[in-house]
Structures are given as structure tokens and as C-alpha cells.
């Protein structure tokens, strides 16, 4: 399976709080965020890895250009208006029928991630398996509306009655979902959450996969929180 990482954001909130290291290179337990993700992907049978960074991230670009991975590596250097457009740029080099996409600051437990990927691979009837969590850590969370069997029937910007989960920023998608992305961009659609709504509207089979906890590194204080979260599993 192909894996892809969105690392094209500016990290402006971190910078305003005094963190001058570009977000993809922030270290948790001594390992840069982007390296941590790629190492996890390789341990979960990645057939290729794609990463997108913005044009101003020269330090990150140099870091990634020095890599020598055991699988094909596609580095996209492009400033995009949204994470959906970043995914579109990444999708143009995807050769397989499935991809696992994550944002670079998404922190999760590796054992849970391995079970998540295995669940996706074992369910060929599902077009998309979305990582979700009941731990709300985002300033503007995307609420995921699910049925009892985990089928997703909607996404909401606000908490709805009976809505337990929020999006965790990790997506396993098959080719039908990837193909819809191209149409979404061509129609002028904006934002990743609107693309996910489009998947539901098009009748694709989406399911939610619960993680116990997923953390985003958006603020300076999140770094220590993520360190503690990872350390408690050792």
C-alpha cells in the first residue's frame, strides 16, 4: 500500500509561541515527526512513500532530500491552499489502488495504527477507513457521524446528538475515493472535510476505526503532551 504525508502547513501557531523548528522536524523522544511517521509506515509494509512540503520549508526540503528509503519516495515541493489540495498533489504519483494518508503532526500509538491498517486490508468492500477518536484535541474538530456498525453517514462541524467521535487525521482510502478527489478539486471544492462529505454524498462505503487517543502538535504545549503520551506506552 502507498503511504502519504501532508507536511505543507506553515506551523504559524507554533512559530508565534516561540517554536522556531519547522513542524515536520520537531523531535519527539529524539525523532523528528516526519521521520517517526515514515518509520512506522515502513514497518507496516509501505510500497511507496509520498510527502508534500511547502516551498518555503527549505530546511525540511534539505532533510528529506538526504533520505535513502528502501521503497520509492516521492517528494512534492508545493505551496497549496488547503490539505485537500495537498492530498491532490500527492495523489498524482500514487500507483496502487490504496493509500494511507496522514498529517505530519498526528501522534498515535503504533500498535493501534498497525491494527487499523490490518483492518483496512482485510475489508476489501470498504472504500475508506477513517481513524477516529473520542479524545477531542482539535480547535475546530470534524465530528464523524456513525451507525452502530461503524458505517459513516455524515460529517459535521458541530457536535450532534449521539455523535461520539471526531476525525483523527488518518485516512485509508481505495481508488474510488482517490478518483473522487480529482473531481472535487476540478469543481472548486475547498477543505479536506468537504471532500469527505463528498465521499458520503457519492455513496462510497466509509467506516470509522476508533483509536483510544490521537494528538495533534499544533501548539508549543502539545510537544510535552505528545512526549508523555508516547512514553507511557514504553
Amino acid at each position: 500500500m502507498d503511504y502519504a504525508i501532508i507536511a505543507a502547513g506553515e506551523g504559524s501557531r507554533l512559530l508565534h509561541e516561540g517554536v522556531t523548528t519547522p513542524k515536520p522536524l520537531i523531535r519527539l523522544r529524539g525523532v523528528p515527526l516526519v521521520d517517526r511517521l515514515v518509520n512506522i509506515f515502513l514497518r507496516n509494509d509501505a510500497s511507496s512513500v509520498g510527502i508534500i512540503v511547502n516551498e518555503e520549508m527549505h530546511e525540511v526540503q534539505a532533510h528529506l532530500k538526504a533520505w535513502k528509503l528502501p521503497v520509492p519516495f516521492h517528494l512534492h515541493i508545493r505551496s497549496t491552499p488547503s490539505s485537500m489540495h495537498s492530498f491532490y498533489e500527492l495523489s498524482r504519483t500514487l500507483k496502487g489502488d490504496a493509500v494511507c494518508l496522514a498529517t505530519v503532526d498526528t501522534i498515535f500509538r503504533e500498535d493501534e495504527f498497525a491494527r487499523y491498517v490490518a483492518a483496512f486490508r482485510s475489508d476489501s468492500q470498504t472504500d475508506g477507513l477513517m481513524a477516529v477518536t473520542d479524545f477531542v484535541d482539535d480547535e475546530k474538530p470534524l465530528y464523524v457521524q456513525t451507525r452502530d456498525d461503524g458505517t459513516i453517514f455524515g460529517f459535521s462541524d458541530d457536535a450532534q446528538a449521539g455523535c461520539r467521535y471526531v476525525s483523527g487525521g488518518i485516512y485509508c482510502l481505495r481508488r474510488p475515493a482517490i478518483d473522487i478527489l480529482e473531481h472535487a478539486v476540478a469543481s472548486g471544492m475547498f477543505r479536506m472535510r468537504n471532500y469527505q462529505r463528498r465521499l458520503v454524498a457519492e455513496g462510497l462505503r466509509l467506516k470509522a476505526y476508533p483509536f483510544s487517543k490521537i494528538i495533534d502538535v499544533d501548539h508549543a504545549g502539545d510537544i510535552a503532551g505528545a512526549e508523555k503520551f508516547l512514553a507511557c506506552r514504553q
Side-chain angles (χ1 to χ4, degrees), residues 216-227:
D216 292 335
V217 179
D218 290 323
H219 296 280
D222 295 334
I223 300 172
E227 288 263 11

Side-chain angles (χ1 to χ4, degrees), residues 147-169:
R147 297 190 174 92
D148 291 342
D149 65 353
T151 299
I152 296 172
F153 65 88
F155 297 92
S156 174
D157 294 330
D158 304 302
Q160 304 292 318
C163 186
R164 178 180 178 185
Y165 298 115
V166 298
S167 174

Side-chain angles (χ1 to χ4, degrees), residues 60-79:
V60 178
Q61 293 170 28
H63 178 80
L64 298 179
K65 287 177 179 178
W67 277 3
K68 295 187 182 300
L69 299 185
V71 298
F73 173 48
H74 307 286
L75 175 59
H76 303 253
I77 301 173
R78 190 175 182 87
S79 298

Side-chain angles (χ1 to χ4, degrees), residues 73-217:
F73 173 48
H74 307 286
L75 175 59
H76 303 253
I77 301 173
R78 190 175 182 87
S79 298
T80 62
S82 74
S83 56
M84 187 190 81
H85 290 82
S86 292
F87 181 29
Y88 173 70
E89 293 297 330
L90 288 163
S91 73
R92 298 168 76 178
T93 55
L94 297 177
K95 302 300 183 183
D97 290 327
V99 62
C100 181
L101 173 74
T103 53
V104 73
D105 62 340
T106 302
I107 309 302
F108 49 82
R109 291 171 175 160
E110 185 172 347
D111 57 342
E112 288 187 307
F113 180 81
R115 290 192 292 271
Y116 163 66
V117 170
F120 176 67
R121 285 179 167 143
S122 68
D123 184 2
S124 61
Q125 300 305 308
T126 296
D127 297 307
L129 188 62
M130 312 311 214
V132 299
T133 179
D134 58 9
F135 176 73
V136 182
D137 184 49
D138 201 304
E139 295 172 355
K140 295 181 179 179
L142 177 64
Y143 292 88
V144 183
Q145 298 168 293
T146 59
R147 297 190 174 92
D148 291 342
D149 65 353
T151 299
I152 296 172
F153 65 88
F155 297 92
S156 174
D157 294 330
D158 304 302
Q160 304 292 318
C163 186
R164 178 180 178 185
Y165 298 115
V166 298
S167 174
I170 312 169
Y171 321 88
C172 279
L173 302 167
R174 290 196 164 85
R175 179 54 59 180
I178 300 169
D179 291 342
I180 286 175
L181 175 65
E182 183 170 351
H183 298 302
V185 171
S187 68
M189 184 171 288
F190 203 83
R191 303 188 73 190
M192 193 72 174
R193 58 185 58 195
N194 292 334
Y195 161 65
Q196 293 179 75
R197 292 184 176 108
R198 176 74 171 266
L199 297 179
V200 173
E202 294 281 348
L204 268 64
R205 290 164 291 192
L206 305 182
K207 298 194 78 171
Y209 187 94
F211 280 59
S212 61
K213 191 175 184 179
I214 298 176
I215 297 174
D216 292 335
V217 179

